[in-house]
Amino acid sequence: MEVLRGREDGKGIATSFNVAYVALALKDCMFGKNIIFKERLGSTNVFLKRLAQEGAAEGTVLIADEQTDGLGRMGRRWFSKRGENLLFSVLLRPMLSPKNVFILTMIFALAGTDALKEVSGLDAGIKWPNDIYLGQKKLGGVLTEFSVLKGSVQYLVLGMGLNINWKPKAEETSGYETSSVFVETGERVSREELLGNLLGKLTVYYQGIEDRRERELLCKRWNEKSVILGKPVIIETGKERISGKAVEIDQDGALRIVTAEGAERKILCGDVSVKVNFSEQR
Ligand code: BTN
C-alpha cells in the first residue's frame, strides 16, 4: 500500500488529517491500495485525471485538506474551508459504455448518504443527479468526469465535496442553501471515519453493479434516498427546458419524468440543472 502526503509542490507539511487511519480502515478493499493526501491543491478531480492519464491504478484515492480551485458541476466553483470538510476523488476504470457511467454517480452519492447516516446519524438524501441534501439544504456534491477511448470508458474520476465541520457563510456557497454535519448535529465528526466508511460502502456497491439482482437492489436504494421523486421539477439541459414531475431514477441512473402534457421523458444525467419545488408533496 502506498500512502503519500504533502502539497502539490512536493513539500510535506503537518496536517490534522489522519490519512493512516483511512488507510488502515481500507486495508482490505480496492480503495486502500493507493491513497494520496495533499495538504493543498487546485482540484482533486483535475489532479487525479492527470494521474489517470499517466496510468494510475483503479482505486486510487486523492484527498485534499484544501482546494484553491475546487470545481462544481456546470462551471460552478466548490468552496470549502481548510481542514474542515471532505474533499476527495477516486479513480475507477470500469468496463462500461459511456451511457452507463451515471450508475457510478448514483452509487457514489448513495455511499455518501449511507456513510453520513452511520457516522453522524443524519438522514441525508440524493437530489438527482449529483447532490447530497438534508431537507432543502445542500450538504455535498459529486462531480463525475470521464475519458472515452474507442467508445469505451478509459477512466472515470468521481469527486465529492462534503460539508462536515464548517459553518458555511452565504458568500461561500454557489447560490443554494448550504449546511454541514456540524451545523445540523452540533457535533464534530471524524472526517477519516466518514471517508473510510463511505469508501467501504462504495467498494461493495461497485462490485454489485455487474450483478442483475444487486443492481436492482441498488436502484431501489437510490430511489428510496431520492428527495425529488413525486415533486415538480424543471430540467435545463442546455438545449431545452423540461417541466414535469419526477417519477423514478432507473437502473441506468437516468431520471424519468412525466411532463404536464402527460408525456414520459427519460433524462440521462450529465450537464443538466434541476430545480425542485420541495414544498409540493408526492
Ligand atoms: C457540485 O455540487 O456541483 C459538485 C461538487 C463537487 C466538489 C468536489 S470537491 C472534491 C472534487 N474536486 C473538485 O474540484 N470537485 C470535487
Side-chain angles (χ1 to χ4, degrees):
M1 181 221 321
E2 196 186 358
V3 179
L4 301 171
R5 52 199 295 161
R7 288 192 189 174
E8 197 168 5
D9 60 12
K11 291 186 185 126
I13 189 164
T15 172
S16 58
F17 192 87
N18 188 344
V19 71
Y21 175 98
V22 181
L24 191 65
L26 297 172
K27 71 177 173 12
D28 297 323
C29 92
M30 62 179 285
F31 296 110
K33 303 214 167 27
N34 191 20
I35 302 176
I36 304 167
F37 176 80
K38 299 281 180 190
E39 180 79 11
R40 187 169 192 251
L41 47 57
S43 150
T44 56
N45 266 42
V46 171
F47 199 95
L48 193 52
K49 281 191 289 179
R50 200 160 84 210
L51 296 183
Q53 290 285 6
E54 290 165 4
E58 173 163 77
T60 300
V61 179
L62 175 60
I63 309 157
D65 235 7
E66 184 183 5
Q67 293 184 132
T68 53
D69 197 14
L71 303 174
R73 283 175 66 247
M74 309 189 70
R76 287 190 291 254
R77 303 243 0 241
W78 185 258
F79 299 98
S80 181
K81 187 157 180 252
R82 184 161 87 90
E84 300 284 21
N85 298 321
L86 271 177
L87 305 164
F88 67 101
S89 302
V90 300
L91 171 62
L92 297 176
R93 296 188 181 276
M95 307 284 273
L96 281 180
S97 93
K99 74 176 175 44
N100 288 125
V101 297
F102 301 110
I103 295 166
L104 301 172
T105 305
M106 295 313 296
I107 61 167
F108 195 38
L110 187 60
T113 58
D114 287 352
L116 277 168
K117 177 79 180 151
E118 259 176 44
V119 176
S120 73
L122 287 178
D123 203 3
I126 301 170
K127 176 175 169 273
W128 186 93
N130 75 314
D131 290 331
I132 296 187
Y133 262 63
L134 191 73
Q136 299 182 23
K137 294 180 194 156
K138 182 157 165 164
L139 280 187
V142 172
L143 180 63
T144 303
E145 297 183 278
F146 55 96
S147 160
V148 176
L149 191 65
K150 294 184 186 150
S152 300
V153 175
Q154 188 191 16
Y155 66 81
L156 178 135
V157 168
L158 292 170
M160 187 182 288
L162 267 183
N163 295 336
I164 310 293
N165 291 321
W166 77 331
K167 270 192 166 185
K169 300 189 193 94
E171 65 272 21
E172 293 168 323
T173 68
S174 286
Y176 32 73
E177 264 200 277
T178 305
S179 195
S180 73
V181 175
F182 178 68
V183 169
E184 298 299 326
T185 64
E187 282 172 24
R188 294 179 73 83
V189 302
S190 155
R191 293 182 295 157
E192 294 84 346
E193 188 186 349
L194 190 53
L195 181 60
N197 188 306
L198 189 160
L199 293 178
K201 291 191 163 43
L202 183 62
T203 306
V204 176
Y205 302 163
Y206 184 53
Q207 284 158 358
I209 61 170
E210 301 277 345
D211 180 85
R212 196 180 56 83
R213 178 77 193 123
E214 288 297 320
R215 178 102 153 254
E216 275 170 19
L217 290 173
L218 285 166
C219 178
K220 187 166 173 282
R221 293 289 324 286
W222 69 56
N223 275 285
E224 284 164 0
K225 281 283 178 184
S226 171
V227 297
I228 70 168
L229 298 188
K231 307 233 183 284
V233 290
I234 300 170
I235 318 273
E236 308 256 12
T237 68
K239 289 194 194 118
E240 57 178 338
R241 189 168 204 260
I242 313 158
S243 301
K245 193 168 259 201
V247 175
E248 188 207 21
I249 299 154
D250 73 10
Q251 284 202 30
D252 297 329
L255 175 68
R256 284 201 306 113
I257 68 167
V258 174
T259 66
E261 296 75 37
E264 212 176 272
R265 295 283 305 264
K266 174 169 163 162
I267 298 142
L268 207 57
C269 36
D271 276 350
V272 295
S273 108
V274 182
K275 291 197 180 65
V276 191
N277 182 348
F278 280 110
S279 52
E280 195 153 316
Q281 294 304 308
R282 285 186 195 202

